[in-house]
Amino acid sequence: MNIKAIISTLSFEERQQFVLYLEKKNKRSDAKNIQLFKLLCSKELSSKDICLKLYKTDKCNAYHALRKRLFQSLIDFIANMNLEEENTVEMQIIKYILASRTFLLHNKPKTAYKVLDKAEALAKEQYLYNILNEIYHTKIQYAYTNPSIDLETLIKTFKENQKNQYIEEELNMVYAKIRQTLNKITYKGEILDFQTLLNNTLKEHNIKLSDSLSFKSLYQLMSIVSISAFVTNDYFKIESFLIKTYNSITSQKIQSKQLFYHIEVLYMIANTLFRNKKFELSLHYLDQMHTQMLSNKKKHYNTFKLKYNLLLALNYNYSNQQDKAIQQLIPFTKVKHVDIESLLDIHLSLIMFYIQKNEFKKAHTVFSKFYHTNSYYTEKAGIEWVLKKNLAEIILHIELQNIDLVDSRILSFKRQHYPYLKQINQHRAITFLNLVEYYYKNPKKVTSKSFHNTVEASFKWIAAECEDIFVMSFYAWLKSKMENSDLYKTTMDLINQ
């Protein structure tokens, strides 16, 4: 059980509340649970170090028992905290429904319908379609007691709500299927025709992109579209859809319950704009994301802080603010967090920044922290991340002139990844590595006209605005060798075409 990972999900205020919770719970004045919690919060100490501080010995059964009790207290605290937040509105609506039924049984229809109207207004705000069904069911059942009720309009409203609930449930199933498919593509390296599957799944569940849904459902819909862009590396096509969809969401009154999805949506838009090289606009949406992260007592701040800071640094780096980008990421290479994928992305991005700055020893220091196997990293961050990491490693060893390591890494890359790249028709990556290998073995020939012609003939070039920003970054390294130019300047020139 990783208690530090659980603690990392708590905001500063929630940690203070947890200490108060423990103080009330403790029956003995010498309980060490608060002391253990504070040690886990404030210092990067090993279990042995903490055990020594608490018990003056590094082998102690009491310490392990204390950790188990603290773990259980954390689970209870988090569960109670979320129950209080999540159920407040729902419980209030249910109380209104129960009270209205009591009034109806006592022949007080006007009072009952006023209470039901309050319940309906609250349930609509929260998009609680299942509870709305109960409200409309009760209103229709007792419509005969209230002559002012337009029964036909009420039945129509009830059926529209049923349709909304059905669409939301269907979309949830579509979302689950697409996410499962993405997992197979990204984390297991399976070869699938994603676009066909997406279209067929939406058709199977009668989902149209124009359907008007709750904030959560619109987030799921935007996620599905974003997944399509991720798999095809075509973010250009989805940008307009994401922004239009977000504008339709913000025209609604956004409730605190929807805050998590609001932040997710802002991140998706900011990330898409970054991938499309629209850095100023991406930073605009990141600023909105940060504002939402700070709201509601920073409830979701810890959850999103890695994603936010990574995307902020990437925007800085490609906006010709290299040093600012590096300084933005350095602190996060020393933290632990449940979002392992974002931590890995931060380390790899920092390596890329250092390589672009020709600070290869610093890049190698960060790279030395990647001591797990490719299988581990594929499971945690996906096959695409592993491909980038292994290509970056080859480039880094070339720059450091680690000749023996370059040969072994190139051979390993070919053996491990070429079959997969051929299956998914990513021949560009194979071509790129072959050119890198040629440069490594013939560094003086890459500036020649013949090599330039070879490179020009090797790729099927697409418009700069549609090209993937990370693909361009790798190619910029080769181009800088061909032109004997500064890597970062070459990268910026390519990005700004």
Side-chain angles (χ1 to χ4, degrees), residues 132-145:
L132 278 167
N133 271 344
E134 285 296 315
I135 293 167
Y136 295 135
H137 180 89
T138 304
K139 280 189 170 185
I140 291 167
Q141 182 182 355
Y142 291 94
Y144 70 91
T145 67

Side-chain angles (χ1 to χ4, degrees), residues 28-69:
R28 292 171 48 180
S29 59
D30 61 344
K32 296 180 184 290
N33 52 6
I34 294 173
Q35 193 179 350
L36 172 59
F37 177 71
K38 288 181 177 178
L39 286 168
L40 289 168
C41 281
S42 61
K43 295 182 180 179
E44 288 294 324
L45 298 172
S46 67
S47 291
K48 281 189 176 182
D49 293 334
I50 294 173
C51 190
L52 279 168
K53 280 185 174 291
L54 292 172
Y55 297 102
K56 312 303 179 189
T57 175
D58 62 357
K59 293 181 180 178
C60 186
N61 290 332
Y63 170 67
H64 297 294
L66 180 65
R67 278 180 67 96
K68 284 183 181 179
R69 291 196 297 274

Side-chain angles (χ1 to χ4, degrees), residues 465-497:
E465 67 268 19
C466 298
E467 183 59 272
D468 180 71
I469 193 167
F470 296 118
V471 170
M472 293 177 89
S473 298
F474 277 108
Y475 173 69
W477 180 82
L478 183 63
K479 187 176 174 65
S480 72
K481 300 303 179 187
M482 291 161 58
E483 297 178 350
N484 197 22
S485 58
D486 176 73
L487 173 56
Y488 189 61
K489 184 180 183 305
T490 305
T491 305
M492 291 299 99
D493 288 344
L494 274 176
I495 297 299
N496 294 323
Q497 280 182 9

Side-chain angles (χ1 to χ4, degrees), residues 147-164:
S148 64
I149 290 292
D150 183 342
L151 185 58
E152 288 305 314
T153 301
L154 186 57
I155 290 170
K156 184 181 177 182
T157 305
F158 174 56
K159 287 182 177 179
E160 284 174 356
N161 183 70
Q162 282 185 314
K163 182 186 174 185
N164 286 335

